[in-house]
Amino acid sequence: MLKQAQKLKQTQTLSPQQIQFIKLLQVPTIELEKRIQEELQENPVLEEGKESDREEQEFGNDDASTTDDTNDEFDDIPEIDPIDEVNLDDYVNRDDVAGYKMYGDGDVSDDKELPIPMMDTLGDSLLMQLSFLNLNEVEQQIGEQLIGSIESDGYIRRPLEAIVNDLAFLQNVETDLNHVEMVLKKIQHFDPPGIGARTLQECLEIQLKKRDTHDPIVKIAIKMIVLCFEEFKKKHYTKIQKRLGIDDEQMKDAIEMIIHLNPKPGGVNSNAASAQFLTPDFIIKEVNGRINISLNGKNAPDLRVSRQYGDMIDAFDKTPKKTKKMREEVRFVKQKLDAAKWFIDAIKQRQDTLLRTMQAIVDYQMPFFLSGDEGQLRPMILKDIAEIIQMDISTVSRVASSKVVETDFGIYPLKYFFSESISTESGEDVSSKQVKSVLKEMIETEDKKKPLSDDKLEKLLRIKGYNIARRTVAKYREQMNIPVARMRKEL
């Protein structure tokens, strides 16, 4: 039997202004600059410049127009009909009149003009090398399909069976696995060495075989990768020596050769193209014992609403006969005026929130910002700062997740200053950053022939007064990308 029932449910709906603010708050400075340029291009009502600058330009330099009667302030400005002066057909998109578009984070339109790097891509380089092989038509198409399947790090991870199917269904090229494998082997001879490999093992083997294979050490290195790769990954050197029948010196030389190979051959070309400059959101300077906090200038752009369009609304209100086209155009302008005001308010609110958050972090971590000593960092979580600035934890999280601060001691991600607390023997709470620093120093100074296990590291930390479990030692070690003791062992 079906029953009807009423149920009360409380939900929170964000206003367009709140959505605008949230999206702007979480983007870093470099993205904010792009976002503002997009808004300026999309909204004709929004323009760059200070409101005060415009007022000075229009009225401040004209002594003759200044009188004691403020009502006559605009008498000297010639009257124009703004609706006739501005052609809104250049801006009005009929699909856009119903509501103002809200943008996602860092979305780039398809027709946006992007800078083109003055260099060949990895794909271009490989296709050029392919053209030198004098392949038949089918092999050329196979080669192009294989090159198109090479990922940015230089590997082909798509199964060759799937590439055979791609050729059949997408290009109407009938081939088989052996034929594709044969063309792939040719591509694997291209530069950079190791390109087109399907696994790390194959990548290293390809690079070694491009060396002088008559060299005894190269021969040993190839055998080590082909026959003992699992033992090599786990650093079971004794097993490798027994299996290959080599002495300590040969073992050392072969390993030295292997570790200098390139595990990501595609990175040779892609690194330069993908390099980005780190732009700090905050700049912090210590002057005579005082900490000065400032926002990067790009975080505080000068934006204003165009007076021209405000005048247009006024002129429309005074016009006795209003056509359908005029009403449509004015409705569009009013929507864009509201959108511009929302955007300017969201930018100002973003600036205020960033500064309040950064000021609270500096006050909380003042010893660090004065000394640069990592050991001076106090345990600090998002809730601590949220309570100080009286904002939601999610707001602090958005600020901390993608912002960068430039200090006298280097550039740090803002989230660097947040850490959990660890108790010492004396009952004092210290930052996990401090424990990690001590742990890293222990590992850097250990005997590499007998590296310290996590159990030994735990005992040494306890001797120093840090009460942490072995699993916590392992977690901190992994967070710092430090391998286990067996993998740190050297011959």
Side-chain angles (χ1 to χ4, degrees), residues 15-202:
S15 68
Q17 294 94 325
Q18 289 172 314
I19 295 171
Q20 187 85 276
F21 170 65
I22 288 170
K23 290 183 175 181
L24 289 172
L25 184 62
Q26 59 195 17
V27 299
T29 298
I30 194 72
E31 290 297 328
L32 177 68
E33 192 175 13
K34 295 177 186 175
R35 177 70 184 82
I36 290 171
Q37 289 305 314
E38 287 174 9
E39 192 73 20
L40 286 166
Q41 290 174 15
E42 187 69 25
N43 192 342
V45 174
L46 189 68
E47 61 185 23
E48 292 184 271
K50 294 180 180 178
E51 191 70 31
S52 57
D53 291 344
R54 178 172 58 192
E55 290 173 357
E56 287 177 10
Q57 182 180 357
E58 291 180 350
F59 313 115
N61 297 328
D62 190 355
D63 295 335
S65 65
T66 305
T67 67
D68 294 333
D69 186 357
T70 55
N71 291 329
D72 297 331
E73 187 175 356
F74 302 99
D75 286 351
D76 290 341
I77 301 177
E79 292 185 8
I80 60 171
D81 184 349
I83 294 176
D84 292 335
E85 184 74 5
V86 180
N87 181 11
L88 285 182
D89 290 337
D90 295 335
Y91 296 106
V92 178
N93 179 340
R94 301 304 172 193
D95 297 330
D96 203 26
V97 171
Y100 182 67
K101 247 191 299 186
M102 300 299 293
Y103 294 89
D105 302 328
D107 291 339
V108 181
S109 59
D110 292 336
D111 58 350
K112 183 175 177 64
E113 190 171 296
L114 296 173
I116 300 172
M118 298 301 291
M119 59 180 291
D120 289 336
T121 65
L122 176 63
D124 292 337
S125 173
L126 295 175
L127 287 171
M128 181 177 290
Q129 294 176 71
L130 184 72
S131 67
F132 296 148
L133 295 182
N134 295 321
L135 302 174
N136 62 40
E137 186 178 349
V138 171
E139 289 172 348
Q140 179 72 24
Q141 288 176 296
I142 293 172
E144 290 173 2
Q145 188 72 31
L146 286 166
I147 289 171
S149 301
I150 294 176
E151 299 180 15
S152 59
D153 57 1
Y155 287 83
I156 287 184
R157 293 186 174 86
R158 187 162 175 75
L160 295 190
E161 293 87 348
I163 291 176
V164 171
N165 292 333
D166 291 342
L167 286 160
F169 293 120
L170 300 177
Q171 299 193 41
N172 199 28
V173 174
E174 292 295 330
T175 185
D176 56 34
L177 197 59
N178 291 333
H179 204 177
V180 172
E181 181 98 35
M182 182 269 289
V183 177
L184 176 60
K185 291 297 182 186
K186 293 179 182 292
I187 291 172
Q188 289 176 345
H189 284 89
F190 291 174
D191 283 325
I195 201 70
R198 288 160 286 184
T199 64
L200 175 61
Q201 182 180 15
E202 187 177 39

Side-chain angles (χ1 to χ4, degrees), residues 461-487:
L461 285 168
R462 286 188 180 276
I463 292 172
K464 290 180 176 288
Y466 301 107
N467 294 321
I468 63 172
R470 189 203 63 79
R471 64 178 178 275
T472 308
V473 172
K475 182 178 81 170
Y476 288 172
R477 176 180 51 71
E478 289 168 2
Q479 287 174 351
M480 293 187 289
N481 294 319
I482 298 174
V484 296
R486 177 169 45 79
M487 300 298 289

Side-chain angles (χ1 to χ4, degrees), residues 391-428:
M391 287 187 174
D392 194 80
I393 292 176
S394 62
T395 301
V396 179
S397 176
R398 286 187 175 95
V399 174
S401 63
S402 58
K403 306 300 182 297
V404 175
V405 54
E406 179 184 316
T407 74
D408 292 327
F409 316 104
I411 296 178
Y412 299 87
L414 205 57
K415 59 186 176 183
Y416 171 82
F417 302 106
F418 292 86
S419 62
E420 57 193 354
S421 63
I422 302 293
S423 296
T424 64
E425 287 284 350
S426 61
E428 179 188 4

